[in-house]
Amino acid sequence: MQDIIENIVSTVGASQQRGQVADYIPQLGRVDINHFAISVATCDGQLFSGGDAQTPFSIQSISKVFTLTQALGKLGDGLWRHVGREPSGDPFNSIVQLEHEQGKPRNPFINAGAIAVADALLSGCQPKEMLAELLRFVRNLANDDSVFIDEAVAKSELATGDRNASLAHFMAGFRHLRHPVDSVLGAYFHQCAIAMTTQQLAQAGLFLAGDGLNPITQSRVVPSRRARRINSLMMMCGHYDGSGEFAYRVGLPGKSGVGGGILAIAPGKASIAVWSPGLDPIGNSKLGTEALEALMQRTGWSVFV
Amino acid sequence: MQDIIENIVSTVGASQQRGQVADYIPQLGRVDINHFAISVATCDGQLFSGGDAQTPFSIQSISKVFTLTQALGKLGDGLWRHVGREPSGDPFNSIVQLEHEQGKPRNPFINAGAIAVADALLSGCQPKEMLAELLRFVRNLANDDSVFIDEAVAKSELATGDRNASLAHFMAGFRHLRHPVDSVLGAYFHQCAIAMTTQQLAQAGLFLAGDGLNPITQSRVVPSRRARRINSLMMMCGHYDGSGEFAYRVGLPGKSGVGGGILAIAPGKASIAVWSPGLDPIGNSKLGTEALEALMQRTGWSVFV
Amino acid sequence: MQDIIENIVSTVGASQQRGQVADYIPQLGRVDINHFAISVATCDGQLFSGGDAQTPFSIQSISKVFTLTQALGKLGDGLWRHVGREPSGDPFNSIVQLEHEQGKPRNPFINAGAIAVADALLSGCQPKEMLAELLRFVRNLANDDSVFIDEAVAKSELATGDRNASLAHFMAGFRHLRHPVDSVLGAYFHQCAIAMTTQQLAQAGLFLAGDGLNPITQSRVVPSRRARRINSLMMMCGHYDGSGEFAYRVGLPGKSGVGGGILAIAPGKASIAVWSPGLDPIGNSKLGTEALEALMQRTGWSVFV
Amino acid sequence: MQDIIENIVSTVGASQQRGQVADYIPQLGRVDINHFAISVATCDGQLFSGGDAQTPFSIQSISKVFTLTQALGKLGDGLWRHVGREPSGDPFNSIVQLEHEQGKPRNPFINAGAIAVADALLSGCQPKEMLAELLRFVRNLANDDSVFIDEAVAKSELATGDRNASLAHFMAGFRHLRHPVDSVLGAYFHQCAIAMTTQQLAQAGLFLAGDGLNPITQSRVVPSRRARRINSLMMMCGHYDGSGEFAYRVGLPGKSGVGGGILAIAPGKASIAVWSPGLDPIGNSKLGTEALEALMQRTGWSVFV
């Protein structure tokens, strides 16, 4: 495995065609496009890494996996009153679907859906408490207390988050949010600003490879059935309107973020995190996807075999 | 396994809430809603069945799996110039997406996409030859020469197929079809009229459970990589805008037809065919889905574990 | 008036930027882009013309004014069960709106709406009879029996009319057509192939300038109220998604055709026909619109004064 | 004329089927549905009124006519870089069109368009100054200094204006607003809260009936050409996706507001204001429209004659 990873770092990681760094969030626009990292945490307790695997990056939308997990714990199936679970066929920040379906987002991984999930998590607590609990949860999963929220990124999102503000106000107009728009957006922008290394992220995803059980500590994070369902949502909706392409090429449940990270789950085998800041036109990490494709070809870990 | 199947037949198969039989194709509207069948063909060569597993039914859109397989064999990746591979987020017969994307269908499993695939299969042959070859291919896969095309159903579709004619003409208007609309529709309506039993259908799908290899005859139907890709397309797009729901509940690649059949693939384990003519509001077999859900809960065959 | 017209012919008519001739109907694509004609028939019985005012051209969608007039005579307000009367905000051949509103076209001047009107006119008669009656009606209005249907153009449309066939089948799929799609399309393509000169067309429109009364013969064509309503529909929907622009620049009810003709009505004053085959990107005659704009500036005939 | 008006008050104004008062703005929801008023200011200087013509009501979207007039004075044709001039075919608060056309509203009379106009008016001044100037302009037009901004209504809109906030943030996300969203919305909500009587409103609209010239004071408000263009926009877009219906039934340029008011212009003849708080399903005053229809039938003032 270490050989495979090093080979990927020296080939895929050295590619000249690295995509474009997201620049609509100024803080993200400053990240060096040459970063590249990959970490594989296996269900039998090993951790393999290559590249900048100890450099924290902004996980952005990958955080939606963790808030979804928390919200399902808090509300159970009641969550599905607030958000659907179908692929949207639209870009991550599209509002067209919201109008056609009267303010109910299609799934928890498009921005509108994640905002609805954040709203659900705010029930009975203040934004600060909700964020503290989220951070505690992610640190626990990663087994590493150095995971942090990058305030500079959070502020940068707040300052330029008009599209998300539009989505939130739109849902509020349909009475689909129960907390003030500003609170929900504040929570959402901070969750997106969680910074992690690929090592931390790969470990944090292990419970999804372990059918809900952390295979190392043997502690149960979520019931088996819920783990499968989260995986299914990652498969169907984890890459916006590039989800079909990712399933076709990689064949694993995965969730991308505009920071250039991707978390992919090989059920029963491993949790994989990659990072390369340059994005493809749809907004998914270009080299990150290629790295996962290469990894899958050499390991045969596709769920479709 | 036989116990599980018989239990499913006596519980799910006996449910009072059976959905609605599709009535827009008159011949389908006449089918008895009380039919129920399930067959499981395992990779180690066993075949288990329950219910009306020897009664042929109209496989309808499940035929799209077979034409896609043939078209990929004929055109390779060239097929993707004609059709995409993203979930559509729209009903099976929607035309809105076609206009927004200038006549190129989102994926091969919505009607427009399957019509484009039929058009591709017509290259260099007449509709009759293309259908003969398709039938030969499916009979081979099912290892059963009694698979047939139900002419009464094909005629019934021709007579009421305005929505599909609209899709075909729309694509033709964008020069996305290379054969006369009437020929393409004739081929398409006949492929949908293939009649099979669940026993035949389960066996015909085995090569997708066997990574492209028929696990019984050990003959290779498609390369390994192509089998995985077809499975990924079935997972992402096989149930129209209910694909997310099916992945969430069943966790297997699957393709449904309005005749009430579903073909599901448990990679490395089995190919499963179910049939119950009553549909849910989205157009997928209501009890068929429930039967697969029950089977998965008892076997743990979800790809997400 | 003759001075104004000659000035327009020598300035606007000589412009180098003439737009693009519609080429999706082969026969139309062959028309010389340098044609230019304008005719003004006034309510006090005078007829002024300039340019190629005696050369017949394909009136195409302008025919929708005449079929709408006939259909309102035949069905009265019952026609509005088949077609709406709102601007569509979409291109002339868009199908998106049809799906959102379940097969009912927005207005009688987009293609789908005109097809629905043709279907209504077929009640109780064969396509040939319907076309004969339409031709009789237009000849009568134009007071000229040389108006004819150009069979070569009609055939050319039939051969390339996939987009319209798509619209017709789509409506048929929603049971919004009561006659066979082929009959309706045959009638529609023939009505679009009516050939007239601007002299004939200006005279044929006079009843709409005369509040339903032909001001020369003093014979009543339609009741006063219906004439106003047809004018309102021409104003609101006569130029597809360029209707707002035409109202803004010209300020008169008008109907354009892809043959490059426009019929405009100055209520109480005159009926005006222009022809220049080059179209703007929306599909309306480029120089035709400019000629009408120039005419309005010099006559002050806008309805908004 | 006074007879006609009194007859309308006693028939239309007494109707039992009065529509629904808009309740999404709480302050508007409290208005008595039984109010009914009509005022006609003629170009020869007379003023006829009936019903509650001296009771101020919230003009809401009718204010868009006045801000458009001001913005055209300030920016000239430069305004059309910020907003289009086509009917939208969508409800007043739809966001779908905005996404399809990348943040540029279709016309100045849908909410998004009016927000863009308010943004344009904020150039070089503070919201307070912009509102003071607007109020001065409307008082001048109405020749009555008692026109005021109802702060309770403005606050009520601010508190419930999520849908408009969504539109504004959406445009800001496309960099189509040049001022802070909160400032623009503050200005917009206050302009909508202008309160006027039908007497004041009819007089304020007279310059549009007088081709830009106030026919009583003979002072020029806008150039002739601009008056015609504003009238054309009112005709094409003044009643949202009920504009076609209004043109068909009334035949005059008009602008409605959810407060139940309508301003209609009979060019060369009169400016008419009606008020009845109950709305039809599209959001236009039900009895207000009927009153105008009755008035037009008796006066023959349609522009289509």
Side-chain angles (χ1 to χ4, degrees):
Chain A
M1 175 59 66
Q2 192 61 39
D3 283 355
I4 293 175
I5 282 176
E6 272 158 27
N7 182 262
I8 288 172
V9 171
S10 64
T11 54
V12 177
S15 168
Q16 293 304 305
Q17 301 183 309
R18 308 184 75 86
Q20 295 285 326
V21 175
D23 56 0
Y24 60 90
I25 301 171
Q27 282 295 105
L28 292 187
R30 291 187 199 132
V31 173
D32 180 357
I33 197 171
N34 294 307
H35 280 300
F36 183 87
I38 177 166
S39 294
V40 177
T42 62
C43 285
D44 58 8
Q46 302 183 76
L47 177 65
F48 304 93
S49 283
D52 309 320
Q54 298 191 352
T55 308
F57 64 94
S58 189
I59 67 168
Q60 294 291 318
S61 291
I62 304 172
S63 65
K64 296 170 183 173
V65 175
F66 303 120
T67 53
L68 171 65
T69 304
Q70 284 197 306
L72 284 170
K74 197 165 181 172
L75 280 78
D77 282 347
L79 181 66
W80 306 119
R81 282 197 307 273
H82 304 281
V83 63
R85 45 195 193 232
E86 287 300 328
S88 73
D90 289 311
F92 66 94
N93 58 3
S94 175
I95 204 162
V96 168
Q97 174 269 328
L98 266 194
E99 180 161 326
H100 288 158
E101 298 179 16
Q102 306 194 332
K104 185 176 177 183
R106 271 252 153 159
N107 67 63
F109 291 155
I110 50 172
N111 288 12
I115 291 168
V117 170
D119 179 63
L121 282 178
L122 283 172
S123 288
C125 65
Q126 293 301 311
K128 281 202 178 170
E129 294 164 348
M130 172 257 187
L131 288 167
E133 196 170 334
L134 172 62
L135 197 54
R136 209 154 42 230
F137 178 60
V138 177
R139 284 174 171 170
N140 239 331
L141 290 176
N143 196 24
D144 189 333
D145 279 357
S146 70
V147 174
F148 68 102
I149 290 177
D150 185 330
E151 284 292 336
V153 170
K155 266 182 200 151
S156 189
E157 306 216 37
L158 260 170
T160 62
D162 276 307
R163 198 70 179 265
N164 287 315
S166 178
L167 293 167
H169 279 292
F170 198 87
M171 290 189 281
F174 275 104
R175 314 235 178 283
H176 269 293
L177 296 186
R178 288 167 305 172
H179 303 90
V181 165
D182 286 349
S183 300
V184 178
L185 284 175
Y188 176 67
F189 289 139
H190 277 82
Q191 89 177 48
C192 288
I194 291 177
M196 298 176 79
T197 66
T198 55
Q199 283 199 352
Q200 291 165 339
L201 184 57
Q203 285 176 292
L206 258 183
F207 76 100
L208 292 170
D211 207 26
L213 199 77
N214 183 317
I216 295 151
T217 63
Q218 289 292 312
S219 70
R220 178 153 292 285
V221 179
V222 296
S224 164
R225 186 165 161 173
R226 183 169 303 152
R228 294 173 198 185
R229 289 174 163 184
I230 294 170
N231 283 342
S232 81
L233 287 159
M234 291 173 74
M235 174 67 87
M236 301 303 289
C237 320
H239 283 71
Y240 313 117
D241 52 346
S243 297
E245 189 68 15
F246 188 82
Y248 184 86
R249 287 169 57 188
V250 176
L252 293 182
K255 182 73 206 83
S256 68
V258 291
I262 303 176
L263 172 65
I265 305 299
K269 289 162 192 136
S271 162
I272 307 125
V274 292
W275 174 45
S276 169
L279 308 181
D280 65 21
I282 285 171
N284 299 312
S285 176
K286 185 177 180 299
L287 297 189
T289 307
E290 291 175 16
L292 288 167
E293 199 176 4
L295 183 71
M296 291 318 101
Q297 278 166 10
R298 292 175 209 186
T299 57
W301 281 350
S302 163
V303 303
F304 298 117
V305 185
Chain B
M1 175 60 68
Q2 194 59 41
D3 284 356
I4 293 175
I5 284 176
E6 273 159 25
N7 180 262
I8 288 172
V9 171
S10 63
T11 54
V12 177
S15 168
Q16 292 305 304
Q17 300 183 309
R18 307 184 76 85
Q20 295 284 326
V21 174
D23 56 1
Y24 61 92
I25 302 170
Q27 281 296 99
L28 292 187
R30 291 188 200 131
V31 174
D32 180 357
I33 198 171
N34 293 309
H35 281 301
F36 183 88
I38 178 167
S39 293
V40 177
T42 62
C43 285
D44 57 9
Q46 301 184 76
L47 178 64
F48 305 93
S49 282
D52 309 321
Q54 297 191 352
T55 308
F57 64 95
S58 189
I59 66 167
Q60 294 290 319
S61 290
I62 303 173
S63 65
K64 296 170 184 175
V65 175
F66 303 120
T67 53
L68 171 66
T69 304
Q70 284 198 305
L72 283 171
K74 197 164 183 173
L75 281 79
D77 283 347
L79 180 66
W80 306 119
R81 284 196 306 273
H82 305 280
V83 62
R85 45 194 194 233
E86 288 299 328
S88 73
D90 288 312
F92 65 95
N93 59 2
S94 174
I95 204 163
V96 168
Q97 176 267 329
L98 266 195
E99 180 161 327
H100 288 157
E101 299 180 15
Q102 305 194 335
K104 184 176 177 181
R106 271 252 154 159
N107 67 63
F109 290 155
I110 51 174
N111 289 12
I115 291 168
V117 169
D119 178 64
L121 282 179
L122 283 172
S123 288
C125 66
Q126 293 302 310
K128 279 202 177 168
E129 296 163 346
M130 172 255 184
L131 289 166
E133 196 170 333
L134 173 63
L135 198 54
R136 209 154 43 229
F137 178 60
V138 177
R139 283 174 172 170
N140 240 331
L141 290 176
N143 197 22
D144 190 333
D145 278 357
S146 70
V147 173
F148 67 104
I149 291 177
D150 185 330
E151 285 292 336
V153 170
K155 266 183 202 150
S156 188
E157 307 216 34
L158 261 169
T160 61
D162 276 308
R163 197 71 179 264
N164 287 315
S166 177
L167 292 168
H169 280 290
F170 198 87
M171 289 189 281
F174 275 104
R175 314 235 178 284
H176 270 293
L177 295 185
R178 287 166 308 173
H179 302 90
V181 165
D182 285 349
S183 301
V184 179
L185 284 176
Y188 176 68
F189 289 139
H190 277 82
Q191 89 176 49
C192 288
I194 291 176
M196 299 176 80
T197 66
T198 56
Q199 283 198 351
Q200 292 165 337
L201 185 57
Q203 284 176 293
L206 257 184
F207 75 102
L208 292 171
D211 208 25
L213 199 77
N214 183 318
I216 295 152
T217 63
Q218 289 293 313
S219 70
R220 177 154 294 283
V221 180
V222 296
S224 164
R225 188 163 159 175
R226 183 169 302 153
R228 295 174 198 183
R229 288 173 163 183
I230 294 171
N231 284 341
S232 81
L233 287 159
M234 291 173 73
M235 173 67 86
M236 301 303 289
C237 321
H239 282 71
Y240 313 116
D241 52 345
S243 298
E245 189 67 15
F246 188 81
Y248 184 88
R249 287 170 56 189
V250 176
L252 293 181
K255 182 73 207 82
S256 68
V258 292
I262 303 176
L263 171 64
I265 304 299
K269 290 162 191 135
S271 162
I272 308 125
V274 292
W275 174 45
S276 170
L279 308 181
D280 65 22
I282 284 171
N284 300 310
S285 175
K286 184 176 180 300
L287 297 189
T289 307
E290 291 174 15
L292 288 168
E293 198 176 4
L295 184 70
M296 291 319 101
Q297 278 165 11
R298 292 175 209 185
T299 57
W301 281 351
S302 162
V303 303
F304 298 118
V305 184
Chain C
M1 175 59 67
Q2 194 60 39
D3 284 356
I4 293 176
I5 283 176
E6 272 158 27
N7 181 262
I8 288 173
V9 171
S10 63
T11 55
V12 176
S15 168
Q16 292 303 305
Q17 301 183 309
R18 307 184 76 86
Q20 296 284 327
V21 175
D23 56 1
Y24 62 91
I25 303 171
Q27 282 296 103
L28 292 187
R30 290 185 200 134
V31 173
D32 180 358
I33 198 172
N34 293 307
H35 281 302
F36 183 88
I38 177 166
S39 294
V40 178
T42 62
C43 285
D44 58 8
Q46 302 185 76
L47 177 64
F48 305 93
S49 283
D52 309 321
Q54 297 192 353
T55 307
F57 64 94
S58 189
I59 67 166
Q60 294 290 318
S61 290
I62 304 173
S63 66
K64 297 170 184 173
V65 175
F66 303 121
T67 53
L68 171 65
T69 303
Q70 284 197 306
L72 283 171
K74 198 164 181 173
L75 281 79
D77 283 346
L79 180 66
W80 306 119
R81 284 197 306 272
H82 306 280
V83 62
R85 45 193 193 234
E86 288 298 329
S88 73
D90 288 312
F92 65 95
N93 58 3
S94 174
I95 204 162
V96 169
Q97 175 267 328
L98 266 194
E99 180 162 326
H100 288 159
E101 299 181 14
Q102 306 193 334
K104 184 176 178 184
R106 271 252 154 160
N107 66 63
F109 291 154
I110 52 174
N111 288 11
I115 291 168
V117 169
D119 179 64
L121 281 179
L122 284 171
S123 288
C125 66
Q126 293 301 311
K128 281 202 178 169
E129 295 164 346
M130 173 258 188
L131 289 166
E133 195 169 335
L134 173 62
L135 198 55
R136 211 157 38 232
F137 178 60
V138 177
R139 284 173 172 172
N140 239 331
L141 289 177
N143 196 25
D144 190 333
D145 278 357
S146 69
V147 174
F148 67 103
I149 291 177
D150 185 332
E151 284 293 336
V153 170
K155 266 182 201 150
S156 189
E157 307 216 34
L158 260 169
T160 61
D162 276 308
R163 197 69 179 265
N164 287 316
S166 178
L167 293 167
H169 280 290
F170 198 87
M171 289 188 284
F174 276 105
R175 313 232 179 288
H176 269 294
L177 296 186
R178 288 166 306 172
H179 303 90
V181 166
D182 285 349
S183 302
V184 179
L185 285 176
Y188 176 67
F189 289 139
H190 277 82
Q191 88 176 51
C192 288
I194 291 176
M196 299 176 81
T197 65
T198 55
Q199 283 198 353
Q200 291 166 339
L201 185 57
Q203 285 176 293
L206 257 184
F207 75 101
L208 292 171
D211 208 25
L213 198 77
N214 182 317
I216 295 150
T217 63
Q218 289 294 313
S219 70
R220 175 153 296 283
V221 180
V222 296
S224 164
R225 188 165 161 174
R226 183 169 301 152
R228 295 173 199 184
R229 288 173 162 183
I230 295 170
N231 283 342
S232 82
L233 287 159
M234 292 173 73
M235 174 69 86
M236 301 304 290
C237 320
H239 282 71
Y240 313 117
D241 52 346
S243 298
E245 189 68 14
F246 188 81
Y248 184 86
R249 286 169 58 189
V250 176
L252 293 181
K255 182 74 207 80
S256 68
V258 292
I262 304 176
L263 172 64
I265 305 300
K269 289 162 191 134
S271 163
I272 308 127
V274 292
W275 174 45
S276 170
L279 307 181
D280 65 23
I282 286 173
N284 299 311
S285 175
K286 184 176 180 299
L287 297 188
T289 307
E290 292 175 16
L292 288 168
E293 199 176 3
L295 184 70
M296 291 318 103
Q297 277 165 12
R298 293 176 208 184
T299 57
W301 280 350
S302 161
V303 303
F304 298 119
V305 184
Chain D
M1 176 60 66
Q2 193 60 38
D3 284 355
I4 293 175
I5 283 176
E6 272 159 26
N7 181 262
I8 288 173
V9 172
S10 63
T11 55
V12 177
S15 168
Q16 293 303 305
Q17 301 183 308
R18 308 184 75 86
Q20 296 284 326
V21 174
D23 56 0
Y24 61 91
I25 302 171
Q27 282 295 103
L28 292 188
R30 289 185 201 133
V31 173
D32 180 356
I33 198 171
N34 293 307
H35 280 301
F36 183 87
I38 177 166
S39 295
V40 178
T42 61
C43 285
D44 58 8
Q46 301 185 76
L47 178 65
F48 305 93
S49 284
D52 309 320
Q54 298 193 350
T55 307
F57 65 94
S58 189
I59 68 167
Q60 293 290 318
S61 290
I62 304 172
S63 66
K64 296 170 184 174
V65 175
F66 302 121
T67 53
L68 171 65
T69 304
Q70 283 197 305
L72 283 171
K74 198 164 181 174
L75 280 80
D77 282 347
L79 180 67
W80 306 118
R81 284 197 306 272
H82 306 280
V83 62
R85 46 194 192 233
E86 287 299 329
S88 73
D90 289 311
F92 65 95
N93 58 4
S94 174
I95 205 162
V96 168
Q97 174 269 328
L98 266 194
E99 180 160 325
H100 288 158
E101 299 181 15
Q102 306 193 332
K104 184 176 177 182
R106 270 253 153 159
N107 66 63
F109 291 154
I110 52 173
N111 288 11
I115 291 168
V117 169
D119 178 64
L121 282 178
L122 283 172
S123 288
C125 66
Q126 293 300 312
K128 280 203 176 169
E129 295 164 347
M130 172 257 186
L131 289 166
E133 196 170 334
L134 173 63
L135 197 54
R136 210 154 42 228
F137 178 60
V138 177
R139 284 173 171 171
N140 240 329
L141 290 177
N143 196 23
D144 190 333
D145 279 357
S146 69
V147 174
F148 67 103
I149 290 177
D150 186 329
E151 284 293 335
V153 170
K155 267 182 200 150
S156 189
E157 306 215 35
L158 261 169
T160 61
D162 275 308
R163 197 70 180 264
N164 287 313
S166 178
L167 293 167
H169 279 290
F170 198 87
M171 289 189 282
F174 275 104
R175 313 233 179 286
H176 269 293
L177 296 186
R178 288 167 306 173
H179 303 89
V181 165
D182 285 350
S183 301
V184 178
L185 285 175
Y188 176 68
F189 289 139
H190 276 82
Q191 89 177 48
C192 288
I194 291 177
M196 298 175 81
T197 66
T198 55
Q199 283 200 351
Q200 291 166 339
L201 185 57
Q203 284 176 294
L206 258 183
F207 76 101
L208 292 170
D211 207 26
L213 199 77
N214 182 316
I216 294 150
T217 63
Q218 288 293 312
S219 70
R220 179 154 292 284
V221 179
V222 295
S224 164
R225 189 165 160 173
R226 182 168 302 150
R228 295 174 198 183
R229 289 173 162 183
I230 294 170
N231 283 341
S232 81
L233 287 158
M234 291 173 73
M235 174 68 86
M236 301 303 291
C237 320
H239 283 71
Y240 313 117
D241 52 346
S243 298
E245 189 68 15
F246 188 81
Y248 184 86
R249 288 169 56 189
V250 176
L252 294 182
K255 181 74 206 81
S256 68
V258 291
I262 303 176
L263 172 64
I265 305 299
K269 290 165 191 134
S271 163
I272 308 124
V274 293
W275 174 44
S276 169
L279 307 181
D280 65 23
I282 285 172
N284 300 311
S285 176
K286 184 175 182 299
L287 298 189
T289 307
E290 292 175 16
L292 288 167
E293 199 176 5
L295 183 69
M296 291 318 102
Q297 278 166 10
R298 293 176 208 185
T299 57
W301 281 350
S302 163
V303 303
F304 298 118
V305 185

